[in-house]
Amino acid sequence: MAGRWPVCADGGDVNSDGRDDLIGFGQDGVYVALSNGASFDAVSRWTNDFDLSHGWTVSQYVRTVGDVNADGKADLVGFGLDGVYIGTAK
């Protein structure tokens, strides 16, 4: 994971288990470490969207998480040059 995790990070419950997980917006994707209640499981890449290699720089574009569709899971939200982009959790 060295060099890829994170460019910026946030927290939110991506799997609807009631525990906040770690979400990192990295060089080549969005990475998640699920909470197990005592610590965090191994980091895995969930998508290659919203990353630095696709122009999502920290200095220009805000990326965050929030439940935008009321399903109890944190979704990805990116404020881009030409609009707001949403990646819903599955």
Side-chain angles (χ1 to χ4, degrees), residues 45-67:
R45 183 166 65 178
W46 279 39
T47 182
N48 62 354
D49 297 326
F50 298 101
D51 64 351
L52 187 60
S53 69
H54 288 98
W56 288 91
T57 62
V58 174
S59 63
Q60 292 179 301
Y61 306 110
V62 173
R63 293 162 291 170
T64 190
V65 296
D67 184 6

Side-chain angles (χ1 to χ4, degrees), residues 31-47:
Y31 291 84
V32 174
L34 297 174
S35 173
N36 60 31
S39 62
F40 293 92
D41 295 337
V43 175
S44 64
R45 183 166 65 178
W46 279 39
T47 182

Side-chain angles (χ1 to χ4, degrees), residues 5-6 8-12 20-25 31 63-66 77:
W5 167 270
C8 63
D10 209 337
D20 279 344
D21 307 302
L22 295 176
I23 300 104
F25 297 91
Y31 291 84
R63 293 162 291 170
T64 190
V65 296
V77 181

